Amino acid sequence: MKKKAIVLIYGEGGHKAQMKRLYNLLIKNNRKNDVVFIGICENNHCIEELEENFSVEFLRGKYENYISFLIRLPFRIIKYIKILKSILKKYDIVGVISTGPGIAIPFSLFFKVVGKKIIFIETWSRFNTTSFTGKIMYKIADKFYIQNKSLKRFYSKAIFGGLL
Amino acid sequence: MKIFVTVGTTKFDSLIEYIDTHFDPKQYDIFFQIANGDYIPTNFPYVRFASDIKKFFLKNEVIITHGGAGSIYELLELGKKIIIVPNLERQDKHQLDIAYFMDQNNYAKMVLNIRELNSIIENIHLYKFRKFKKKNFFKANEILDFLLK
């Protein structure tokens, strides 16, 4: 019997910090208790409290230029697919929540293709600019949350949710 | 004056090196948090990471911080006087966004040219910042309901 699970996808640094705060809010309200939270994290920077974490390489590095990114992309995608298969084998996935950055895109797309619900929360550090990940996730997510009202002019269908 | 310098989880060598070599240890009591930085300060003490960074925030008068939102929100919630120096050593320059926002709304002072730090610190007592009021995230229930229905 596979456990029901919500997948949390988050990169390191601020993305992890935001997801940790969201997770604390989610478990406060998750009185049902039959749903667990699993993580897809970047480079072993994982939230230990989750049921299980799957660490992956970043989609694009902090200092990586576009050429390197394009060359390495297919290899990273292949590794991501392996992780995805392990997750689907072990858990009955209900949906996916992500705080970015780039790793949110391939995994959200994969889970969307297999019919799962997709939630994305744009980062707390954006007020007057959009992120690469945000622009793409806006088209993929079932619900797209922004933490700063000023972003509404870029994402008209976004839901303002306040700051994590 | 007691000053704490934090770079978060990404190294910011140019900031650390500038402050280490351009501030007088007789006049300033400075402590660095340098992450995985390659430059090692020689004139002031440092740590790479601080598990309880809040205590450093609380006991220093002024904090010079990188443009990381997590650091900025935590500092403003504590009511600290902060100078934001966006880390432009990174490939992406997203730290400029929040730094500009905070500066333009007078919640903090943004510095793009680190050479300006000396005069800004000298005059920091003249800066009167507005208090930033954080609207806390209130959509956790909505998210859970949507996923579990």
Side-chain angles (χ1 to χ4, degrees), chain A residues 104-119:
Chain A
I105 301 166
F107 286 105
S108 298
L109 268 172
F110 295 147
F111 282 112
K112 189 170 181 85
V113 156
V114 296
K116 311 300 177 188
K117 297 175 187 169
I118 310 296
I119 301 226

Side-chain angles (χ1 to χ4, degrees), chain A residues 1 25 32 35 43 54 64 84 93 98 101 105-106 109 114 117 121 123 126 146-147 155 159:
Chain A
M1 188 71 207
L25 292 173
K32 274 186 129 199
V35 179
N43 298 325
F54 297 82
E64 195 172 37
L84 180 77
I93 301 300
S98 168
I105 301 166
L109 268 172
V114 296
K117 297 175 187 169
I121 303 174
T123 176
R126 300 267 177 182
I146 49 177
Q147 300 187 56
Y155 305 118
I159 304 164

Side-chain angles (χ1 to χ4, degrees), chain A residues 100-157:
Chain A
I103 51 170
I105 301 166
F107 286 105
S108 298
L109 268 172
F110 295 147
F111 282 112
K112 189 170 181 85
V113 156
V114 296
K116 311 300 177 188
K117 297 175 187 169
I118 310 296
I119 301 226
F120 183 77
I121 303 174
E122 177 62 301
T123 176
W124 57 11
S125 64
R126 300 267 177 182
F127 290 83
N128 293 299
T129 59
T130 55
S131 65
F132 169 76
T133 303
K135 282 197 274 257
I136 297 183
M137 288 304 300
Y138 183 62
K139 301 194 169 81
I140 300 173
D142 297 305
K143 282 193 188 283
F144 183 96
Y145 291 91
I146 49 177
Q147 300 187 56
N148 294 309
K149 279 199 182 130
S150 49
L151 290 180
K152 200 72 157 121
R153 72 182 192 278
F154 301 112
Y155 305 118
S156 55
K157 295 198 209 85

Side-chain angles (χ1 to χ4, degrees), chain A residues 62 117 124 129 145 163, chain B residues 10 73 97 135 137 142 146:
Chain A
K62 270 181 214 175
K117 297 175 187 169
W124 57 11
T129 59
Y145 291 91
L163 285 163
Chain B
T10 307
Y73 289 131
D97 193 346
K135 168 111 186 122
F137 196 79
E142 180 178 293
F146 174 70

Side-chain angles (χ1 to χ4, degrees), chain B residues 85-132:
Chain B
V85 186
N87 185 345
L88 303 177
E89 287 176 13
R90 300 169 56 115
Q91 179 81 354
D92 74 275
K93 316 291 175 195
H94 82 279
Q95 291 194 0
L96 285 167
D97 193 346
I98 187 171
Y100 266 114
F101 176 85
M102 293 301 172
D103 185 278
Q104 285 179 332
N105 287 286
N106 199 30
Y107 295 122
K109 177 91 187 110
M110 172 181 72
V111 167
L112 291 175
N113 177 359
I114 50 177
R115 305 200 155 268
E116 288 172 14
L117 277 173
N118 298 83
S119 60
I120 289 170
I121 290 283
E122 262 177 60
N123 296 308
I124 198 71
H125 52 282
L126 296 172
Y127 288 93
K128 295 278 180 284
F129 297 120
R130 283 168 60 199
K131 171 97 180 128
F132 179 76

